[in-house]
Structures are given as structure tokens and as C-alpha cells.
Amino acid sequence: MLLEVRDIHVHYGKIAALKGVTLEVEEGEIVTLIGANGAGKTTTLKSISGLRPLTSGRIVFDGTDISKLQGHKRVLAGIGQAPEGRGIFPGMTVQENLLMGAYARKGTFREELDEVYELFPRLSERRTQFGGTMSGGEQQMLAIGRALMTNPKVLLLDEPSMGLAPMLVAQIFEIVREINQRGTTVLLVEQNAMQALQLAHRAYVLESGRVVKAADASGLLDDPEVRAAYLGGDLGVD
Amino acid sequence: MDNFLGQFGPATVGGLAIGSIYALVALGYTMVYGVLRLINFAHSEVFTIGGFAAVGVFLMVGVSAPVGGFALIGLLLLTVLVAMAASGGTALLLEQVAYRPLRKHGSSRLAALISAIGASLFLQELIKLVIIPHVFGQSNGAIQLQNMPRVIDKTPLFSIGNAPIRLDHVIIVVAAVIMMVLLDRLVNGTRVGRGIRATAQDPEAAVLMGVNIDKVVRTTFLLGGAMAGVAGVLYLLYFENLDYRVGFVVGIKAFTAAVLGGIGNLRGALLGGFVLGLVESWSSIFLGAEWSEVTAFVVLVLVLMFRPTGILGESLQRARA
Amino acid sequence: MAALRPKITRLTGVLATGMALSLALAGCAGNSSDGGGGTGGNASSIKIGFMGDLTGENSGIVIPPLNGAILAFEEYNAKNPKVKIDFNKDLHYDSQGKSDIAPNLVTKAISQDKVTGLIGPAFSGESKSVGKQLDENKIPSVSPSATNPGLAQNGWKYWHRVVANDNDQGPGIADFMMRAKSPKKVLVVSDDQEYSIGLAEALAKAFKDKGTTVETDKFSKDSPNYNPTANKATAFQPDLIAFGGYYAQGGKLLKQLRDAGVKAPFVTGDGSLDAGLVSGAGAQNAEGAVIGCPCKIPFGSVTGPLKDFKDKYKARFNTDPQIYAAEGYDAATAFIKAVEAGKTSGDDINEFLKTLSFEGVSKPIKFKDNGEPQANSIFVYQVKAGQIGLLGDSTQAKLEG
Amino acid sequence: MTGNKSPLRRAFAPIGAFNDKMRDWWEGANLWVRWAVYLLLIIFALTLLPSPQFATFMMPGSDWVSTLIHPIGTFILLAIGLNVVVGQAGLLDLGYVAFFAIGGYSLAYFGTKYGWNFWATVVVGILLTGVSGIILGAPTLRLRGDYLAIVTLGFGEIVRITANNTDEIGGARGITGVPHPTLPGVEFTLRDAAPYYYLMVGAIVLVIILSRRVEKSRVGRAWAAIREDEDAAELMGVPTFKFKLLAFAMGAVIGGFGGAIWASKVSFIEPGNFPFILSATILAAVVLGGSGNLPGVIVGAFLIAWLPERLRFINEYRILIFGAALVLMMAFRPEGLLPSRRRRAELAEGTGGMGSMGAEVATQTTVEPSEVSK
């Protein structure tokens, strides 16, 4: 098991955001978390990458308990994340942004850079442009590319489709599949449940801070409850 | 205004000199603000400490007459290093004691500001009540360090127009620009600098890149403090006197300079410092020196009305270019 | 612990009484109208207070007169008089020179401590803020050092001082400098403090009256940068620079003037009569600077009663008497004379002060009706070899060098 | 995780618990109970508080009733005024002393130059400060928080320096003989502080009522919305600029009122009475007491005014200790002594109505389960 999240509770002040979330990610999988706004998807990801403290519960990664590990150390351990809203450094160039991904490691990163530029040729064209001046789709590519530069064992993606045109969404999802096929495990948070379920191997459904369903993605696609709740009026365009 | 031309040259030189000092102090405000969004009110005392450290060095070395040549260079280097260490150390301590606990508990910036004001008062009184009497042996009530040793010969080197240029003028402006360039290189050209900029631009994303925020914050305070330490030395060389409150006045001016240039923006701090120094100096010719602070603040308000984020725009974020 | 117990008992007692009395006390808050000058005629001791900046930045001007007064009262009490004068530490009110603190302290002095008279306030600003209060409460005051001319024009009947005011000091200094240097162009400088502006105005007027061309400049006390003033001096090229202000600013100004290459002679007034002027400017820069003062400080070798005073002061405080020490001594002596004459209420002492006349250490002490001293001599001092030396009375002294 | 709570933070817990209990009781109390408490408080303020027996304990070094008027009374007035700006509308004002000065100078100037009647002049002074609040606010309130802070700081300094350099209003000499108030049957003099004390209590009660009324009104709700999320407030149709300006003007008016009363009490004012540090101190009082919560703010102002005076026996060390106390308080109880519930909720959410510090990523020690489970 690469990543295990065991019964975690997380609070914002006195408000409970997660009330006992348990999930597992096997090496090589694409796992997706779906759920409505405020269900706790983003909080789950933030807890895994150390941006939110746990009130209780445990997170085990690659066999070690990382519940108390500081966020920046989890990056070295192999957790890479493209955060919600992309988190591009607006005052840095594309190349600098990518190099930030390798911040925690020493050495030159020619090969990793080349690989990212190969995955995202668009970034290669714009390597001297400032992050803040790019379009949404480009920023999303940069965020994913930057997360890849951390050399992650598991890549956490938070709503990569947000605010993007359907064609771009398809493109991004294709790249995610590609990344996974090259050997990186992916934990994907999406509101765009339909496409996420088509891409993922397994899925968890979150509702108000709890996991209410866990199954194979294909199984959930056919689940009438899930269809009604998440797939009905939610066909891609935001 | 008949004597305007007579005063313009010297006023410009003086304005640049004092502006350099403002600029160096402004760097500390701007860096801490860029990273923490905090007005580090106690930064003014960090500056004062630098000045006192310099006095300490002069007294310890036993300077009694102006020195020149390599001796001067050596002495200044030593003094600057000691002052940078003292100020940087103070800034670190300040971060540790006054700001870290608040940051860890996610306190509001208002609480942090009050903590900063408290720390500022505390340090000011500490200098007055402990450092001056016990380290420098001044009697109680005497708050000025007397008999400041003269380190640099102050006879004019040459004149530009009717403005005599002294060695201390040259040292101050050159030192400020050198420090500025070094810092700029550090922030924009090194890994440490990238960490600082990343944290300033998006702290959460920075963590996701493996940046240790605590370390970045410490570095920021250290660097800003060190710059203020240099400013303290230059101030001492220029004015040759020091009391426990000098930081307050210089600090407010420097913060104004930082905002004027665009807070969070390193080059803005330099520009803001020079603009403020010159505005003060020039306006004194027309209005009298007693109005210089009023003009400085009026200029600030005017600039902000038309450029709400300062002359060069805000923050380490877009400051790259 | 044992020592604490009675205090605690007293405290609880006090609190209980307070509770019980509280309702009855409605409307009597701070009722202090028994002021009227404290104790009656047959007291065995009376209290005299002292007010000034005892811990603030200008305390250097206030501690010497306080010491002078302490000396005088100690001598008096040592003679075992019928009525002793209580001048203990609790009666030394530290206003820090701030006009917003002084009134509360005066209220306390009057209503709680029941002082009969006050030496001070030391500065003019605080004097303004409490003069009326002292007057309404009939507390005679003698200031050893407040020199603002306006103070005497408020119609306060209980107010006195033993120093000449700035309207005497200005012309005194100007006359002396005219005789010594006959300047044609004078730059009169002040900072933005009340004392400084007042003296500078007096100086400017006096020099104008002598027919010189006067240019004025003013800088902000808090700014470290006095270069604009130096620049103005460079452009104006005066024969003399006159500064009204305290030594803290005077020293810095003098240094920055000399650093800017301004070589004109420098003259200033009582607020700068302190070694701090020399050390602030640097001995070399301060050399030859002239300082006028309505005070007489026994610098260097002196003779007569002044020498006597200097020796006693040195023996008691282990330091030479500084500015206004002699005036503090004389102010205290004025009260002592009143008590010796059997006057122990504020009213009586005040009446007595109107007729008082004696040879003080600093000058002959005799008050005009408005509280000003009769003698308005100005003394001049000069910095020589890094030391301030007394040249003498401004009407007779000669400038050296 | 449970052991993370520092002992000092724990030490404050009883205050919080007591505070909560009091508030619960208060909210459940009858109208007449509330009025009885108000009445008792006023009676306490008028009788026991200024009594000489109390004074020996409260203020051995200076006159207690005078100290109750200034600094305690004036600080409370100013803190209530600044609380409108900082606590209610969430605007950072570092130059509040300017309004105190303008109020004081209005009274002094019109009273001495033209011999205007005290009450008329107070009204004029209040109008002038209100206008000056608008003049300051109009160009600057569009600025973001920290720019506003430095600009207000600058405004405070401009007012002080201008007063110092303007001979028409006395310059550095200040103004003497500021008129005393006139009331039939009461004589305001320098001999007796009592009438001033009652005037001050009256003024504070008046300002409290005003502040409470506004807080509970539509205006108060608009301020709260602005404080919590200005953009959201704007989107909900709150004309944020107008309401921010109103907060500024109202804060200014209260400050000016305080200045006028104070000036008439001391009868002499000078520019040096209005330094920046006074603005900072009042701000500290507001935050220390519990920004946004009126009782808290009053307690904060009382402590900030009283303690340094009470601690005069440690004389020169008192500002040192004051500074250290501010740092400690903010480290261990950043929400203030008596925060309002709403405020605490905002703080718990991490913004406190004025945004949080940058570089803020919650780390492992932030949340105490004991607080959470409540």
C-alpha cells in the first residue's frame, strides 16, 4: 500500500471539515475523490500533503507514519501536489516555477525539465513567460508539471479541470493518464465526476466530511445514487 | 528663493545620503512584509541596535582620530559585519519571540501588529535602560551617547557644482547601492531567494514544493535585519550621534519609503528611499525643514492616490523584472 | 510576612470603610477644597514639593536644581528649627516635562500630600499647564528654570521664578555678541520646541533691533537630519549663528554645521549650557561657542558665596553643581526665609515672598509684583579646550579668542 | 496533540470561561435585570470608584480622581471610538490621535480666540473632527489595509506637526486658558476634579449608548460584513466605501469629543500632547481588551491607562514592562481579554476580520482538541 489515510478528523477552528476519512491508494493506481463542494475533498488532499493539521487519525505513506511530518518534508518523501487554484508563482517564469518543483532536491534537473517540456510542449514555448500572465489552461499544465518536478511517488491533483474549457479538460486528463502510465500514482480530486470516473481505477465519494462510498470507478459510474447526485447536471462545463 | 540655487546642490547630496539610509532600512520592512504581510514595527529598533553595535566596535578598537586608507576599509568591514550580526540576531530573536507564536496560532495581523508595537517599545526601553547605562556606561537620564568618536575625515573631497562631497557621502551611497545589488542578486538569483519569493507569492504552494517556511521566515528576518545593521553603521558615520529613539523617526520614514516604492518590492524600497530623501531635502529649501515630514507624507498620499500600490507596484511577486 | 500583615489588615479595613462610605460619598469625589495652602499656623513641619522632568530626556537640566534645593533644606533642617521643612522623595514629582502629566501630579500634591509650596515646575510648558491650578489652590511656587516670558503675564499671584526670562536673555546675548563680534548678518535657528522657538524669537528681535540682517530657520527636533539648516547657512553666509534650544539638539546642529563647512561663530542660550553641547558637537566643533544664561554656574574657579556653595554641593552630591543648581538652592532659600519668619500657610508665605529680599547664591533675590526676579543679569560662558568656562556678566565680560 | 497547550494559554482559560458564563447569563437576563446592572455600574462609577478610600489602593502616586479623568477616562472614550473603526469596521487606523487633537484644538481655538461657549464649541469641534475624518477617509479608504495604516499614521503626524508649526493656533507654545464647561449650578474649576469626573462618566455613558445602538443597527451589520469579507459584502450590495467612510467619521467624532472634554479639563494643550505613541497605545487598548467587544475594549483601555500609572514605583521600567506585556498578551491571548463571540469565531477561522499574516500554513500544533470539541 503506497498511501493509507486512516480515520482522519480535521477542523477549521471549531468547524469539523473531515469527520473520519479513510482511504487507500495502491501503487500505480489512479484514485479519484468525488463529492459536492465543501464535502472535504480539498481538505483531504491538504491533510495528506501537510497543509492542514490533523485533529486525530493517521496518514501512512510508503510504510511510515507521516501524520506529524512537516509539509515541506513530505515533498521529499514523495508526495507531490498540484493545488486547488493551481498556486502558480505569478512573479516567476515558467522555468523558474518548474525549478521550484525541484527546490527540495539538490542537483541539476535537465532531464526532469526535458520530460515535463515533452509532456507539455506548450510550456516549453513559454518558458520565459511569467506564471501570472498565462492562461488558465497553461497555468494548470504548469501546476502539474511543477508537481512532477518534485519527483513524486504519488501525485495529488486538486480539481485540474476547474475553470477550463471542455477541450482543455480532455487534454489535461489525457496527460494525467499518460503520467500514470509512466509509473506515477495519482490521487485526483474532481467535481467533474463523469470524466474523473472514466479516468480513474477506483473512487471514493465524500459527503460532508465522510467517505460514503468506495468502489471501482466503473462501478460507481453505473451506481444510480451517484449518477443522480454527481453525474446528472454535471457534465463537464463549469 | 534667491538662495535656492545655492542650496540645491548640497540639498541633493544630503537627500541622497539620508535616502540611502532610508532605503536600506526600508528593505527590511519590505522583505518581512512581502513574506509575512506584517508591518514589523520593531524593525526600527533593529536599526538602532546596528548603530549601537557600531559604536561598540569603534570604542573597542579605540578609534580616536579619523582613519584612512586600508585601515578605514578594514575598520568599516569589521564594523559592518558586527552590526549586521547584531541587527540580524535581534531580528531573528524578534521573529522567534514576538511573531512566531502568533504565526503558529494563526493569529490576526492586528494581533501581530500589536505584538510588534510592544516589541518595539520593549527594545527601545531596553536600549535606554540597559544598553546605554550598562554597556556604554552613560549615567541614568543621559540618553545620548556623548563624545562619539570621529572615524572618517569630513573635509570635502571635491565639489560638484556648489555641492561639496565628503567621503562619508560617497561611502553611504556606494554602500547602500552595493548592499542593494547583493540582496537583489540573492533574492532573484539563488535557491534561498527562490524560496523567499515562492513563500511571498503563495505560501501553500511553496510548502508543496518542499520549501521550509519557518526557515524562509527566519532568513527573511535575518537579511532584513542585516540590512538595517548596515544602515545603522552608515547613520552613525554620517551623523555621529545616536540615541535610543533614532530608530523611531528613521523607521517611520523608511516604512514610508517602502510603501512609496511599492511594499514588498526590493527595488521599490531603494527608489522610495531616494525619492523620500530628496523630497524632504528639496522641500526644506522652500518650506523650511520643520515641514519636511509633512511633505513626505503628503507625497506618499498623493502617490498612493494615483498608484495605489506604490511607484513600482507591489511585492516580491512581480518584482522580478 | 509579618511586615505584610498590618498592611493587609489596613487595606481590608480601608476597603470595608470604602464600601460603607461609598454611597454617602456620592457627589464628593475628589473633594479637595480644603487646599488653601495646607496646614494651619502651629504646624511642626510643612511640606514643599518639587516638580520637573526627573527621568526624561531633559532631566539633566532639572536634577541640579533639585539637588540645590535638597542641599538648602537639609542645611535648614539640620539647624533644628521650630518648623521643619519636609522635602522628602515622595514630594519630588516627576512630570517628565509633560504638560499632560503635570496637572494630575499637582492635584495629588495639593489634595493628598498637602504641600504648602512648590519649587518648579522646571519647564515653561508644564508651568503653563499647572500655573492656574496652583493659583486657584493658593500654592506659592518658585521656578528655578522656566524662562518663557509669557508665564509672568497670566496674572498668576502665586507664581514666581528666580531666573531672568528669555526677553532679558535674548537682548543680553545679542548685546554681548554685538560688542564682541559686531556681526552684520545673523542666522537665528530654532527647533520646533516651545522653549526653543521663544528664545529664538527673542534673539532674532534683539539682533534686528541692533540693525543686523537676520535670517531665521527652524528644524524638526525629531529629525536626525539638520543638513537643510546647514545648507541654508552655507547659502546665507552669516557672520554669526544664534541658536535657541536645548543642548541635545544644539550639539547635533553645531556638528552638522561645522561638517558642512560653516565656520561662523555660534552662540546659544541657557538650554544648551551643558557639557552635552560639547560632547554632542565634538570638542573641536564646539570650540569657541558662546552660551548665555540667566543662571550663574560656578564653573572653574570662583570666589565668595558661590565657592562656598560649590564646595558644599560637591561634598553632598559628589559632583560639581551644574545648570540651575544655584537657582534651585536660592528658590529653596526663599521658602526657608518665609518659614523662619513664621509663615507656614500658602497665603502667608506668598505674602512674605512679595517683601522678600536677600543675597542669593546666584543673584540678589527679590521678586517683582508679577513674580519675576528684580535682577535680570545674563551671564555668558564660552567653550575653551572642550570645557565650558564662565566669562562673567554679559554687560562686562569679554570674549576671548 | 493534547499537551500542546502552553501553560500560559491555559492560565487565561478561566477568564474565557467566566466571560462565556457571564455572557450566557446576560443573554438570558430580563430587560429589567439588564437595566439594574447598568444602573449599578453607573452608581459604582459615580460613587465607589472615585472614593478616596479606593484611591489609596488604586493610585498612590498621583491623584486618583484626576487619573480617572485622564488618562483612564479619555482612554476609554478614545478606545470606544477607535473600536468603531478597528473593531467594528475592521479598518486599521494608526493615526487616531489626530482626531483627539482636532477636537481639543477646536475647543481651545474657538474658546480662546472668539470666546465661544463651551457646549457650542464642542458641537463645532465634533463637526470639524467628523469632517476631517471624511477628508482623511475619502482619498485613502480605497487603499488596502496596510496602506491605510501608513497613511493614517502619516495623517496623525501631519496634524501634530502642522499644529506645532502654525502660529495661529499657538504653534509649539500651545493654547492656554481653554475654557471650562459651564453648567448651571456646577462650577468647573481646577480646584476640584469632581465635576469633570461626572462629565466624563456622562460622556462615556453617552458614547457607549451611541456605539451600542449603531452596532445593533443596519450600519453595524454592514460593518461586520465588511470586516469579515469586504468583497463579499460589496457583492451583497453593501456600499462598502460609504460605510467605511461612516465608520471613520463616527470614530473621528468620538475621538474629537474626547479631545474637547480633555482639553477643557487640562485648560492647556500643546502639540506634544498628541504623539504617535498615543495612537498606538489606544490601539493596543482596543486589541488587548478584545477588539469589537465593548466591555472588553473598556476593560482594555482601563488597564492600559491605569497600569503604567499604578506602576510608577517601578518608574523607568514601566514602559519596558508594558511592551513585554503586549508581546506576551498577543502570544497567549491574541483575541484579547474579553473578545466577543463573533470575533472569536472569526479568529478561529483564521482571519480575525483583518486578514491573517502571510506565510501562514497551519502546522502540526495548531488545533487543540479540547477547544474543538466544545
Side-chain angles (χ1 to χ4, degrees):
Chain A
M1 196 63 59
L2 185 62
L3 176 69
E4 295 176 65
V5 173
R6 288 189 203 148
D7 192 30
I8 59 169
H9 291 69
V10 171
H11 290 82
Y12 289 91
K14 288 182 184 173
I15 303 148
L18 298 186
K19 303 162 188 164
V21 169
T22 300
L23 57 87
E24 297 178 339
V25 181
E26 294 269 15
E27 195 149 4
E29 274 189 315
I30 299 179
V31 174
T32 182
L33 297 181
I34 58 174
N37 251 337
K41 305 185 300 287
T42 295
T43 307
T44 307
L45 282 202
K46 285 190 169 179
S47 309
I48 294 171
S49 52
L51 295 178
R52 288 283 160 235
L54 302 182
T55 311
S56 65
R58 292 205 314 145
I59 298 173
V60 179
F61 179 68
D62 215 4
T64 46
D65 186 343
I66 59 164
S67 309
K68 301 211 171 198
L69 199 66
Q70 286 173 299
H72 64 95
K73 290 190 180 146
R74 297 189 197 191
V75 179
L76 267 180
I79 298 176
Q81 183 179 342
E84 186 185 20
R86 296 152 204 151
I88 296 302
F89 301 117
M92 294 190 187
T93 61
V94 168
Q95 175 122 343
E96 276 185 304
N97 262 288
L98 289 177
L99 283 173
M100 273 314 294
Y103 183 86
R105 294 178 294 144
K106 302 253 182 315
T108 56
F109 308 102
R110 209 51 277 158
E111 285 155 39
E112 285 101 323
L113 269 180
D114 286 346
E115 195 181 335
V116 171
Y117 283 141
E118 182 216 324
L119 269 174
F120 301 101
R122 220 172 151 77
L123 295 183
S124 178
E125 292 162 22
R126 311 202 158 221
R127 55 179 84 189
T128 57
Q129 192 177 332
F130 283 110
T133 62
M134 303 210 301
S135 73
E138 290 163 345
Q139 285 197 358
Q140 189 58 56
M141 292 176 190
L142 181 54
I144 297 175
R146 197 179 58 176
L148 282 177
M149 290 292 293
T150 65
N151 203 8
K153 290 184 184 137
V154 60
L155 176 63
L156 313 183
L157 297 176
D158 198 345
E159 309 255 6
S161 72
M162 190 162 39
L164 300 185
M167 215 178 73
L168 266 173
V169 175
Q171 202 181 334
I172 298 258
F173 274 47
E174 199 41 56
I175 292 170
V176 172
R177 193 192 304 278
E178 169 72 25
I179 291 168
N180 178 247
Q181 277 163 3
R182 292 186 186 193
T184 306
T185 311
V186 175
L187 177 56
L188 171 72
V189 155
E190 259 303 339
Q191 268 199 46
N192 196 335
M194 175 71 86
Q195 276 176 305
L197 289 175
Q198 284 167 353
L199 175 69
H201 303 116
R202 289 191 305 113
Y204 293 86
V205 181
L206 257 64
E207 253 172 42
S208 38
R210 287 194 185 86
V211 174
V212 292
K213 269 198 170 76
D216 284 350
S218 51
L220 282 180
L221 266 178
D222 300 330
D223 187 314
E225 274 180 51
V226 173
R227 285 201 81 92
Y230 304 107
L231 304 177
D234 188 22
L235 288 171
V237 191
D238 227 44
Chain B
M1 283 322 112
D2 50 339
N3 56 11
F4 169 71
L5 284 177
Q7 294 182 47
F8 181 77
T12 307
V13 175
L16 286 176
I18 189 84
S20 306
I21 293 170
Y22 292 159
L24 279 181
V25 180
L27 288 175
Y29 283 108
T30 236
M31 287 189 67
V32 168
Y33 186 87
V35 169
L36 281 186
R37 298 279 177 274
L38 163 76
I39 303 174
N40 179 11
F41 239 92
H43 189 59
S44 46
E45 276 60 50
V46 171
F47 160 79
T48 314
I49 296 264
F52 277 96
V55 180
V57 173
F58 293 160
L59 292 178
M60 204 111 73
V61 173
V63 189
S64 53
V67 289
F70 286 114
L72 179 62
I73 295 174
L75 178 66
L76 286 184
L77 277 181
L78 173 71
T79 315
V80 162
L81 283 179
V82 172
M84 284 171 93
S87 289
T90 309
L92 271 186
L93 206 65
L94 199 63
E95 193 270 328
Q96 192 87 23
V97 175
Y99 306 135
R100 174 84 51 94
L102 278 83
R103 204 156 60 76
K104 291 289 170 190
H105 288 282
S107 299
S108 72
R109 294 162 60 185
L110 191 56
L113 183 74
I114 299 298
S115 189
I117 291 174
S120 171
L121 285 176
F122 178 83
L123 283 175
Q124 217 178 80
E125 292 294 308
L126 192 76
I127 295 168
K128 176 186 172 192
L129 298 170
V130 179
I131 296 183
I132 293 180
H134 296 298
V135 181
F136 295 97
Q138 300 287 311
S139 64
N140 193 13
I143 49 140
Q144 275 202 307
L145 274 172
Q146 318 272 306
N147 284 327
M148 198 65 68
R150 170 152 286 190
V151 177
I152 299 183
D153 185 44
K154 295 213 172 180
T155 46
L157 296 176
F158 55 91
S159 289
I160 300 177
N162 58 353
I165 313 285
R166 304 193 309 247
L167 185 55
D168 51 334
H169 291 138
V170 178
I171 290 178
I172 288 168
V173 176
V174 169
V177 172
I178 288 177
M179 293 315 293
M180 182 63 226
V181 169
L182 285 181
L183 187 68
D184 194 62
R185 284 293 88 218
L186 185 77
V187 170
N188 285 322
T190 65
R191 180 170 175 275
V192 174
R194 270 190 289 139
I196 293 175
R197 282 191 294 140
T199 309
Q201 293 173 25
D202 190 330
E204 287 209 344
V207 171
L208 295 178
M209 302 297 111
V211 175
N212 184 347
I213 301 266
D214 288 345
K215 207 164 141 191
V216 163
V217 170
R218 278 199 297 272
T219 314
T220 308
F221 272 85
L222 184 70
L223 288 174
M227 293 297 139
V230 178
V233 176
L234 299 180
Y235 180 94
L236 184 72
L237 290 177
Y238 192 43
F239 293 120
E240 291 179 336
N241 67 55
L242 209 54
D243 63 58
Y244 72 100
R245 285 177 322 175
V246 290
F248 177 72
V249 181
V250 175
I252 285 192
K253 297 287 179 62
F255 185 63
T256 309
V259 174
L260 195 61
I263 193 158
N265 183 328
L266 297 183
R267 290 166 198 196
L270 188 73
L271 182 67
F274 282 137
V275 167
L276 195 70
L278 288 173
V279 163
E280 269 184 20
S281 215
W282 287 336
S283 71
S284 295
I285 305 177
F286 299 105
L287 303 170
E290 73 268 32
W291 290 103
S292 67
E293 272 154 87
V294 172
T295 16
F297 282 119
V298 168
V299 166
L300 176 75
V301 172
L302 288 180
V303 167
L304 289 183
M305 275 170 70
F306 294 105
R307 284 194 67 89
T309 51
I311 302 174
L312 288 190
E314 203 174 291
S315 88
L316 296 162
Q317 306 169 13
R318 270 147 278 157
R320 227 226 87 118
Chain C
M1 277 317 283
L4 267 179
R5 193 167 304 266
K7 265 190 195 163
I8 289 169
T9 330
R10 199 163 68 221
L11 189 65
T12 40
V14 160
L15 281 178
T17 331
M19 297 283 191
L21 285 177
S22 62
L23 280 171
L25 279 167
C28 318
N31 194 344
S32 60
S33 48
D34 65 334
T39 49
N42 51 359
S44 63
S45 89
I46 67 161
K47 288 177 173 175
I48 303 290
F50 184 96
M51 177 171 290
D53 180 0
L54 302 179
T55 54
E57 61 178 312
N58 290 310
S59 54
I61 302 173
V62 184
I63 300 293
L66 171 64
N67 285 345
I70 290 175
L71 185 64
F73 288 130
E74 280 177 356
E75 285 173 3
Y76 168 76
N77 286 336
K79 287 191 270 180
N80 264 322
K82 203 168 76 202
V83 180
K84 289 206 174 194
I85 295 177
D86 186 357
F87 192 64
N88 75 64
K89 253 186 131 103
D90 291 342
L91 305 177
H92 304 163
Y93 303 99
D94 178 14
S95 63
Q96 292 164 30
K98 288 181 184 153
S99 63
D100 54 343
I101 294 183
N104 288 4
L105 293 171
V106 165
T107 308
K108 192 213 175 217
I110 296 167
S111 59
Q112 274 170 261
D113 300 340
K114 313 236 182 284
V115 301
T116 310
L118 185 75
I119 297 177
F123 296 154
S124 300
E126 47 185 337
S127 299
K128 278 184 204 168
S129 74
V130 300
K132 196 169 173 210
Q133 197 181 0
L134 290 167
D135 212 51
E136 289 186 2
N137 285 291
K138 303 186 171 150
I139 304 292
S141 69
V142 181
S143 175
S145 54
T147 57
N148 184 296
L151 291 178
Q153 290 148 22
N154 290 304
W156 299 329
K157 294 191 170 50
Y158 290 77
W159 174 89
H160 312 77
R161 65 177 151 205
V162 292
V163 286
N165 68 41
D166 295 339
N167 283 349
D168 295 323
Q169 196 181 161
I173 292 172
D175 282 346
F176 176 76
M177 289 316 288
M178 290 309 289
R179 276 196 292 117
K181 295 275 178 193
S182 43
K184 304 263 180 301
K185 285 157 77 181
V186 182
L187 178 64
V188 178
V189 184
S190 74
D191 60 36
D192 55 0
Q193 298 178 89
E194 193 259 348
Y195 156 75
S196 178
I197 293 168
L199 179 57
E201 275 175 8
L203 283 167
K205 182 173 179 304
F207 279 112
K208 263 186 205 142
D209 290 347
K210 304 277 168 210
T212 58
T213 311
V214 172
E215 181 88 357
T216 59
D217 191 56
K218 191 165 144 192
F219 58 83
S220 157
K221 147 185 116 81
D222 289 328
S223 165
N225 188 7
Y226 301 168
N227 276 321
T229 305
N231 294 338
K232 198 160 187 176
T234 319
F236 179 58
Q237 300 197 313
D239 306 317
L240 177 71
I241 293 170
F243 171 64
Y246 295 111
Y247 64 88
Q249 286 75 40
K252 288 187 220 173
L253 173 68
L254 189 47
K255 172 176 279 182
Q256 293 188 27
L257 281 173
R258 297 294 184 244
D259 284 352
V262 179
K263 298 202 169 58
F266 184 86
V267 65
T268 177
D270 60 334
S272 289
L273 185 51
D274 186 286
L277 180 75
V278 182
S279 53
Q284 211 185 343
N285 293 331
E287 191 62 21
V290 178
I291 309 145
C293 186
C295 62
K296 199 169 178 184
I297 308 180
F299 283 130
S301 60
V302 284
T303 53
L306 202 54
K307 176 173 188 332
D308 200 29
F309 169 70
K310 184 179 178 176
D311 294 342
K312 285 191 291 189
Y313 189 98
K314 173 118 196 185
R316 170 68 176 81
F317 299 107
N318 200 23
T319 164
D320 279 330
Q322 296 295 318
I323 186 165
Y324 294 128
E327 283 73 11
Y329 186 87
D330 286 346
T333 310
F335 281 110
I336 290 170
K337 299 261 180 209
V339 176
E340 279 175 343
K343 316 291 178 195
T344 53
S345 77
D347 253 342
D348 292 350
I349 292 176
N350 201 52
E351 282 307 308
F352 179 82
L353 289 180
K354 288 192 197 322
T355 62
L356 177 73
S357 172
F358 69 99
E359 193 61 35
V361 174
S362 64
K363 58 176 78 64
I365 303 293
K366 186 170 181 1
F367 296 107
K368 295 182 193 168
D369 284 348
N370 59 4
E372 292 276 19
Q374 288 282 0
N376 56 1
S377 330
I378 304 298
F379 299 89
V380 284
Y381 302 78
Q382 192 178 20
V383 179
K384 272 177 287 186
Q387 300 290 324
I388 301 175
L390 176 61
L391 293 179
D393 192 301
S394 66
T395 52
Q396 287 128 32
K398 286 217 170 12
L399 199 57
E400 297 166 24
Chain D
M1 296 271 285
T2 43
N4 283 329
K5 205 165 180 178
S6 69
L8 262 168
R9 223 164 239 255
R10 220 183 286 257
F12 280 114
I15 303 180
F18 179 71
N19 187 20
D20 278 348
K21 239 177 228 155
M22 287 299 288
R23 210 181 320 242
D24 286 339
W25 171 78
W26 184 249
E27 269 153 22
N30 282 327
L31 199 60
W32 67 267
V33 175
R34 293 192 187 188
W35 276 106
V37 171
Y38 287 138
L39 206 63
L40 275 176
L41 279 175
I42 292 176
I43 290 176
F44 170 77
L46 289 178
T47 58
L48 190 60
L49 191 60
S51 70
Q53 282 74 11
F54 218 35
T56 46
F57 167 72
M58 295 300 283
M59 190 58 50
S62 187
D63 184 60
W64 173 232
V65 179
S66 302
T67 311
L68 274 174
I69 303 168
H70 179 81
I72 294 176
T74 36
F75 272 34
I76 290 178
L77 264 185
L78 291 179
I80 295 172
L82 186 59
N83 182 50
V84 173
V85 183
V86 175
Q88 297 192 28
L91 304 165
L92 185 47
D93 185 347
L94 286 178
Y96 190 62
V97 69
F99 303 121
F100 185 57
I102 292 172
Y105 264 101
S106 302
L107 180 72
Y109 180 75
F110 292 112
T112 53
K113 281 259 159 153
Y114 303 107
W116 289 10
N117 167 281
F118 173 84
W119 299 106
T121 322
V122 166
V123 172
V124 171
I126 285 175
L127 287 177
L128 274 178
T129 38
V131 169
S132 63
I134 290 170
I135 290 174
L136 167 65
T140 53
L141 277 174
R142 295 189 196 278
L143 297 172
R144 247 198 22 222
D146 305 279
Y147 290 93
L148 184 64
I150 184 73
V151 169
T152 48
L153 191 159
F155 178 70
E157 291 291 285
I158 287 174
V159 166
R160 184 178 61 81
I161 297 168
T162 304
N164 204 19
N165 293 332
T166 308
D167 288 334
E168 177 65 16
I169 52 174
R173 289 187 185 85
I175 301 180
T176 38
V178 181
H180 295 305
T182 45
L183 264 187
V186 192
E187 200 195 351
F188 288 89
T189 62
L190 291 169
R191 280 192 303 281
D192 187 4
Y196 274 103
Y197 178 68
Y198 300 130
L199 179 66
M200 185 55 91
V201 172
I204 291 172
V205 170
L206 188 73
V207 169
I208 290 175
I209 294 171
L210 176 74
S211 177
R212 263 267 186 263
R213 289 264 131 205
V214 175
E215 192 186 346
K216 299 244 183 264
S217 73
R218 203 175 68 92
V219 176
R221 286 196 301 278
W223 284 339
I226 292 171
R227 179 181 74 217
E228 285 171 15
D229 191 336
E230 189 172 341
D231 294 338
E234 185 79 54
L235 289 176
M236 284 185 301
V238 177
T240 54
F241 181 72
K242 205 177 96 189
F243 278 106
K244 277 157 63 177
L245 205 55
L246 183 65
F248 240 65
M250 192 174 146
V253 159
I254 296 176
F257 186 41
I261 294 180
W262 174 76
S264 75
K265 162 70 175 71
V266 294
S267 89
F268 165 65
I269 64 171
E270 57 172 345
N273 295 333
F274 311 102
F276 162 72
I277 189 70
L278 189 55
S279 295
T281 311
I282 303 296
L283 183 64
V286 171
V287 178
L288 192 75
S291 172
N293 188 33
L294 216 43
V297 164
I298 293 170
V299 169
F302 181 88
L303 288 177
I304 290 262
W306 174 65
L307 277 178
E309 294 291 316
R310 182 66 182 81
L311 296 179
R312 265 179 178 270
F313 61 90
I314 47 169
N315 225 335
E316 61 246 45
Y317 288 96
R318 64 188 203 275
I319 299 177
L320 185 89
I321 290 169
F322 176 64
L326 284 187
V327 174
L328 287 178
M329 270 301 295
M330 289 304 109
F332 295 114
R333 202 170 165 81
E335 68 271 37
L337 283 171
L338 304 175
S340 67
R341 267 188 195 159
R342 173 177 201 145
R343 194 72 180 173
R344 214 151 21 140
E346 288 169 18
L347 281 164
E349 204 198 279
T351 63
M354 203 162 285
S356 50
M357 290 160 81
E360 195 208 337
V361 175
T363 41
Q364 296 308 300
T365 57
T366 333
V367 180
E368 335 297 350
S370 59
E371 281 192 358
V372 165
S373 54
K374 257 183 242 167

